Amino acid sequence: ANRRRVMSKDAIEFLKVNVKGRVFAAVNIFFPDPWDRQPSLDKAHLRLLNPMTAHLLAHRTLPSATLHLATDIADYVPSSTSYLTAAGWVGGVIPRPGYRPVTQYETKGIEAGREVADLLFASPETLVEYVFEEVSAVGEEGSCEEEEEEEEEDVGH
């Protein structure tokens, strides 16, 4: 069931009050905090993605969840990476994916000469699940090859 809901409400307050448990399969944060100029360091705590939000999202997303952040604010990349990593997310900078829409904020940032960065993170459970599937597939392939070799030897005798 692909359910979506649009609300006019503070996102953080919504996550704290209205969302119980791990319900989101993906979180997309495209060009948050679209200020005309870089905020001063003393206002960095007002950003959407901060240590508290990173932890809150980790506790509201499913074990296989992904979090995609796109920004044109240079210092948002290392700070967001630090916050997400501390909250247990695993990932980093990726090439711009074709599925991400171009926003008006992205266009303004590019016109102003700012570089756009896309970051993709996965919950730790996603990484473990992926590695387990890869190891299982290798193990299955290995046992199939052994069986084929044994069959060939039997035919030759």
Side-chain angles (χ1 to χ4, degrees):
N2 193 1
R3 296 177 283 170
R4 297 170 191 209
R5 191 177 292 176
V6 178
M7 304 180 148
S8 178
K9 194 171 189 173
D10 179 84
I12 305 306
E13 192 63 27
F14 174 77
L15 287 172
K16 287 179 180 176
V17 176
N18 299 94
V19 178
K20 303 298 177 204
R22 301 177 87 171
V23 296
F24 297 110
V27 175
N28 295 317
I29 305 172
F30 300 150
F31 301 91
D33 313 325
W35 293 301
D36 289 336
R37 58 185 174 78
Q38 299 257 151
S40 62
L41 290 176
D42 64 326
K43 294 187 179 178
H45 70 280
L46 298 175
R47 289 183 170 170
L48 176 63
L49 195 53
N50 58 46
M52 186 274 305
T53 308
H55 283 279
L56 181 60
L57 289 170
H59 290 93
R60 296 295 188 264
T61 52
L62 296 169
S64 59
T66 58
L67 186 149
H68 182 175
L69 170 69
T71 184
D72 64 334
I73 300 172
D75 71 336
Y76 217 93
V77 175
S79 62
S80 296
T81 299
S82 174
Y83 304 151
L84 291 166
T85 301
W89 295 91
V90 178
V93 177
I94 61 166
R96 183 192 189 283
Y99 66 80
R100 183 176 59 71
V102 176
T103 72
Q104 66 179 349
Y105 300 111
E106 177 177 16
T107 302
K108 286 180 182 179
I110 292 170
E111 288 171 356
R114 293 189 297 270
E115 285 190 39
V116 172
D118 282 87
L119 292 85
L120 185 64
F121 284 81
S123 68
E125 294 91 344
T126 302
L127 183 63
V128 168
E129 186 176 298
Y130 173 77
V131 170
F132 179 75
E133 287 174 4
E134 289 292 312
V135 169
S136 295
V138 169
E140 290 169 11
E141 289 174 6
S143 60
C144 289
E145 289 174 8
E146 290 172 8
E147 290 172 12
E148 289 174 8
E149 288 176 8
E150 289 175 11
E151 287 177 17
E152 289 176 13
E153 289 176 12
D154 291 338
V155 173
H157 289 290

